[in-house]
Amino acid sequence: EITLFRNGKNETGWFNLHYQPIREDDNSISGILASANEVTDQVLARKQTEDSNKRYNMMVMQSPFAFAVLKSNDMVITLANDSIKEMWGKGKEIEGKPLLEVLPEIKDQPFPVLLNKVYTTGIPFYANESLVQLERNGKMEDVYFNFVYQPYREADETISGVAIIATEVTPQAILNKKIKASEERFQAAVNAVEGVVWSNNATGEMKGEQLGWAALTGQSYQEYQGYGWANAIHPDDTQPTIDAWNEAVRDRKNFIFEHRIKLKNGDWGHFSVKSIPLLNADGLVCEWVGVHIDISDRYRAEKAIIESEKQFRQMAELMPQKVWTADAEGNKNYFNKTLLDYTGFSFEELKGNGWQKIIHPDDWGKNKTQWEKCISTGQDYETENRLRSKDGEYLWHLTRAVPIKDEDGKIQMWVGSKTEIQKLKDDEQLKGDFLKMVSHELKTPVTSIKGYVQLLLMMLKEQEVTPSSFLETPLLRIDSQVKRLSRLISEMLDLSRIESGKLEIQKELFSLDVLLAETVEDIRFTNTNHTINISPDFTGMVYGDKDRIEQVIINLINNAIKYSPDNNVVEVRVYAVNDTQVGISIKDDGIGIDEEHQQNIFNRFYRAAGQSEENYAGFGIGLFIAKEIIERHNGSITVESEKGKGSIFTFTLPLEK
């Protein structure tokens, strides 16, 4: 964090800094090479995310909704808020215990099976007014809950447990059961006809007993006779309804209408009405039969959509970001003022496929293919492209869009944004050019130094003078440091290749367990202070870049050694994950990584707090490169860690078929 005087005022910014001594041929320091990269936007975004997470956690723990997180096959309670503890009635100290130890009475109920199904399939389970038998206050009780079992996923999308969100609805459930029984009797009376069925005489008056209408409105027999039914219509809708009804009766045409009705409980409901005349043998109307269908939910939904769209557009018009929307088929149907002002085009010019006018010709084909794929699959859309300004200049933008779906999962519309990233692109280009230049400039002298050191060591071994160890020890240390420097230079070159899309993967068929054994043996020669144990639980072939996989293994084991200064044992395991994947895990008992840093540890140049340059050398790109290599093999790499208790890094590869 640095305060600078910029643009006529003091500003606080955040930077990644690197100071490196410049050495002359005699190894004396003649200056300092300094480099910096401003990361203010990333830091502020991270701080905002951290604040948001804190507020979210506080909201969860204080929520009136019961909430708990169960981990592993044993469903160990790792998190439970006060609401669920009170609901279960088992005391406060339940974290760290398996669910069946806390609630043994549910063992023979369906819930353990449901939890395991969610845990193994990843498919959520929802239940309303579900009966649970719980022991509370020393006695068994029948309790009803609305709840959801949701798979709990880690940052890498693996399922590690199940989250429970529940609300006790015992009084409502008992009442609803009584109401349901009453409704079933009523439904039988009207032969399960959807809606409320009623009839009027030939002149349009309601006569006789109308069970459905009475149950809907609460009107008595005397109250709804004749035109008394109109008294249940909303005052603003009463006269329009009567006028339309009289016109239908007079003209003997179907009556179709919508209006509000006062329900038996005093609420107002929205209904669609349809009535048709029944004719006798002489062609005269003998009766009118009608049905009222409750459309309250649809009305509220339509009103909410209209209001939501209005608020969205008002908000979008005020946003400095470029916002757009499209229909379910992907046709653009809205651009906010910021986007239109930037391009200089009108909405009419850009709607539909007119947006091709503002995309760089070299980006159009790729963007169109990506967009069409997202339309067909429903996946989120994200791409980088160059957007044409009204001045004719093309600037890089990050374009994103997400589908808005209904409760059945059907796409209703797409909402997207375009964020200018030209400065980031320029910075990345400068940084990549700098790293490439430095790497190439350093590679030649480092190679020469390494050659001379190896030559001197060879000459010492050929001498018969015993005290040669006086020179051998420092030469071996120099050789070790040169190897480290060579590795850093290689990493910078790999980073440059990754960013330019030129990192090559040369695949071949090889034995993974043999490669692991040979790699570990090489590392043991230069790291005699640490014990590296291998558990070879898999023997088989994989198809991949042998050298690159070896590079990943070396990086992860060296990291385990580097970050375990006080614990000298590293455990390496190779095993079959399933029928299609093999995994390698590297476990240490070192300093560990805080949970807040674990999701960022594979980002380039990222160094977790506390890993200072003084104690732990490196640029923070090794794990980024390892992740790129593994993902280019269609594998994955993850970390499990706890501060002060060590880390387990695991990567998987597809098995050779």
Side-chain angles (χ1 to χ4, degrees):
E1 180 179 354
I2 302 176
T3 301
L4 299 174
F5 187 79
R6 298 193 296 193
N7 303 319
K9 62 181 180 179
N10 287 328
E11 294 182 359
T12 299
W14 282 263
F15 298 81
N16 289 337
L17 304 176
H18 179 219
Y19 297 148
Q20 181 172 333
I22 300 175
R23 296 183 182 273
E24 300 299 332
D25 293 340
D26 60 354
N27 206 34
S28 62
I29 298 174
S30 60
I32 295 175
L33 177 64
S35 63
N37 177 36
E38 183 170 1
V39 291
T40 301
D41 292 342
Q42 297 95 310
V43 172
L44 292 177
R46 186 172 69 249
K47 288 179 178 290
Q48 185 177 7
T49 300
E50 291 171 353
D51 291 342
S52 177
N53 288 339
K54 289 179 181 177
R55 290 194 297 271
Y56 172 76
N57 289 334
M58 185 178 297
M59 178 184 71
V60 168
M61 295 308 294
Q62 296 178 354
S63 170
F65 295 98
F67 181 84
V69 175
L70 314 178
K71 289 292 190 72
S72 78
N73 288 322
D74 294 330
M75 294 297 156
V76 176
I77 302 168
T78 58
L79 177 66
N81 67 358
D82 290 341
S83 295
I84 204 163
K85 291 177 181 178
E86 181 178 350
M87 184 183 296
W88 287 343
K90 303 296 183 179
K92 298 291 185 181
E93 304 300 324
I94 62 174
E95 283 89 347
K97 299 178 181 179
L99 180 66
L100 290 182
E101 182 180 328
V102 176
L103 300 174
E105 62 268 28
I106 70 168
K107 179 180 179 181
D108 296 324
Q109 298 182 51
F111 308 105
V113 175
L114 293 173
L115 285 166
N116 183 65
K117 185 175 181 181
V118 173
Y119 178 64
T120 54
T121 66
I123 301 173
F125 178 81
Y126 301 85
N128 289 317
E129 298 185 359
S130 180
L131 173 63
V132 185
Q133 293 178 321
L134 288 179
E135 182 178 352
R136 302 196 297 191
N137 303 316
K139 62 178 182 179
M140 295 297 294
E141 296 181 17
D142 286 346
V143 191
Y144 293 86
F145 293 94
N146 291 343
F147 67 87
V148 57
Y149 291 159
Q150 187 79 23
Y152 188 87
R153 299 179 184 272
E154 300 296 339
D156 62 348
E157 292 300 310
T158 58
I159 299 172
S160 61
V162 179
I164 300 175
I165 305 173
T167 306
E168 183 174 349
V169 291
T170 301
Q172 301 95 303
I174 294 174
L175 178 61
N176 287 340
K177 284 183 177 294
K178 294 179 180 178
I179 294 174
K180 184 178 180 181
S182 176
E183 288 178 344
E184 288 174 349
R185 290 192 296 271
F186 169 70
Q187 286 298 110
V190 295
N191 294 322
V193 174
E194 184 179 357
V196 175
V197 180
W198 49 267
S199 62
N200 281 6
N201 62 16
T203 60
E205 296 178 302
M206 189 172 282
K207 297 292 184 179
E209 191 172 48
Q210 305 288 337
L211 295 177
W213 186 260
L216 178 68
T217 64
Q219 284 185 309
S220 65
Y221 178 88
Q222 291 77 14
E223 288 173 330
Y224 59 70
Q225 294 298 304
Y227 274 82
W229 54 266
N231 294 325
I233 308 299
H234 191 282
D236 295 341
D237 300 339
T238 303
Q239 196 57 50
T241 299
I242 292 175
D243 292 341
W245 174 242
N246 287 335
E247 179 182 340
V249 171
R250 183 187 68 238
D251 297 340
R252 301 200 310 173
K253 64 182 182 181
N254 292 347
F255 175 68
I256 300 175
F257 205 74
E258 290 186 6
H259 56 204
R260 289 162 287 181
I261 292 178
K262 190 172 185 178
L263 305 178
K264 187 175 182 179
N265 62 7
D267 295 336
W268 291 99
H270 281 77
F271 287 80
S272 67
V273 193
K274 184 174 183 180
S275 180
I276 60 173
L278 299 182
L279 307 180
N280 59 21
D282 299 326
L284 300 175
V285 175
C286 61
E287 186 179 15
W288 290 82
V289 176
V291 61
H292 270 70
I293 298 176
D294 191 344
I295 59 170
S296 300
D297 290 341
R298 189 195 78 187
Y299 175 82
R300 285 190 290 266
E302 290 175 350
K303 186 177 180 181
I305 290 172
I306 293 172
E307 185 62 28
S308 176
E309 184 175 348
K310 179 181 177 182
Q311 292 176 355
F312 166 75
R313 298 211 171 194
Q314 288 175 342
M315 179 182 67
E317 289 301 311
L318 297 174
M319 289 179 65
Q321 198 171 26
K322 304 170 186 70
V323 179
W324 53 274
T325 63
D327 60 24
E329 287 72 38
N331 300 308
K332 308 296 185 299
N333 53 24
Y334 170 73
F335 302 95
N336 74 339
K337 186 176 183 298
T338 303
L339 194 152
L340 295 175
D341 289 346
Y342 174 84
T343 63
F345 288 106
S346 67
F347 169 75
E348 293 298 323
E349 292 173 308
L350 293 182
K351 71 178 183 178
N353 287 322
W355 64 288
Q356 181 178 354
K357 301 173 185 175
I358 61 175
I359 304 299
H360 194 284
D362 293 344
D363 302 334
W364 167 251
K366 176 184 175 183
N367 291 169
K368 185 173 183 291
T369 301
Q370 286 179 291
W371 178 237
E372 289 173 348
K373 180 179 179 182
C374 291
I375 295 299
S376 62
T377 62
Q379 296 176 337
D380 291 355
Y381 175 67
E382 180 172 326
T383 190
E384 293 181 1
N385 53 24
R386 286 161 286 185
L387 195 65
R388 184 183 186 278
S389 70
K390 59 185 176 183
D391 299 325
E393 182 181 13
Y394 285 96
L395 298 179
W396 279 102
H397 282 69
L398 174 64
T399 301
R400 288 174 171 163
V402 294
I404 307 300
K405 302 178 181 179
D406 60 20
E407 58 186 17
D408 297 323
K410 185 179 180 181
I411 296 176
Q412 300 298 303
M413 64 180 294
W414 291 80
V415 177
S417 67
K418 294 180 178 291
T419 306
E420 185 180 326
I421 57 172
Q422 186 64 47
K423 187 176 183 304
L424 290 176
K425 283 287 186 180
D426 293 340
D427 290 345
E428 286 180 2
Q429 182 64 42
L430 289 173
K431 182 170 60 181
D433 292 344
F434 172 76
L435 287 175
K436 190 174 182 180
M437 178 195 69
V438 170
S439 300
H440 282 289
E441 290 297 325
L442 289 176
K443 194 169 186 179
T444 300
V446 167
T447 303
S448 298
I449 293 171
K450 184 176 181 181
Y452 281 119
V453 170
Q454 294 293 332
L455 179 61
L456 289 172
L457 286 170
M458 188 184 306
M459 292 171 64
L460 282 174
K461 288 181 179 179
E462 293 175 354
Q463 291 180 358
E464 297 180 358
V465 183
T466 331
S468 62
S469 59
F470 174 74
L471 291 174
E472 186 177 6
T473 300
L475 283 174
L476 287 172
R477 290 182 179 175
I478 292 173
D479 186 54
S480 175
Q481 295 302 315
V482 169
K483 287 180 180 177
R484 289 178 59 191
L485 184 56
S486 297
R487 188 164 59 252
L488 290 175
I489 293 171
S490 296
E491 287 180 349
M492 287 194 294
L493 284 172
D494 282 343
L495 177 62
S496 177
R497 295 187 186 108
I498 289 171
E499 292 181 333
S500 62
K502 296 179 181 178
L503 183 69
E504 295 184 357
I505 300 294
Q506 303 291 338
K507 293 186 177 182
E508 61 179 306
L509 199 62
F510 67 92
S511 173
L512 182 61
D513 54 307
V514 172
L515 173 66
L516 178 62
E518 293 174 350
T519 305
V520 169
E521 189 64 26
D522 290 341
I523 296 174
R524 284 172 178 157
F525 281 123
T526 55
N527 294 275
T528 56
N529 293 329
H530 280 73
T531 300
I532 306 175
N533 298 322
I534 302 179
S535 299
D537 299 330
F538 167 85
T539 56
M541 309 294 285
V542 295
Y543 185 69
D545 191 320
K546 183 178 179 181
D547 293 336
R548 289 296 185 186
I549 299 303
E550 180 183 22
Q551 179 182 347
V552 173
I553 295 171
I554 291 172
N555 182 283
L556 295 179
I557 294 179
N558 282 338
N559 278 354
I561 293 172
K562 179 166 62 174
Y563 295 114
S564 305
D566 301 323
N567 296 277
N568 60 359
V569 177
V570 175
E571 301 288 345
V572 182
R573 182 186 172 211
V574 56
Y575 60 97
V577 177
N578 49 43
D579 293 338
T580 60
Q581 287 185 315
V582 62
I584 291 182
S585 65
I586 291 89
K587 178 180 180 296
D588 65 73
D589 295 316
I591 63 173
I593 306 167
D594 280 332
E595 185 177 355
E596 60 183 301
H597 299 297
Q598 292 176 23
Q599 61 182 351
N600 299 315
I601 202 70
F602 295 103
N603 294 345
R604 57 186 171 180
F605 303 119
Y606 187 84
R607 300 292 301 278
Q611 296 181 6
S612 66
E613 291 288 346
E614 284 183 24
N615 299 325
Y616 306 103
F619 291 123
I621 59 177
L623 289 177
F624 169 73
I625 294 171
K627 179 174 180 287
E628 286 289 327
I629 291 172
I630 296 303
E631 288 185 347
R632 292 191 185 206
H633 283 77
N634 297 320
S636 63
I637 185 167
T638 59
V639 61
E640 299 175 43
S641 185
E642 186 175 349
K643 189 70 174 175
K645 294 186 178 181
S647 305
I648 303 176
F649 281 84
T650 302
F651 69 87
T652 62
L653 294 170
L655 284 170
E656 186 272 331
K657 294 184 179 179

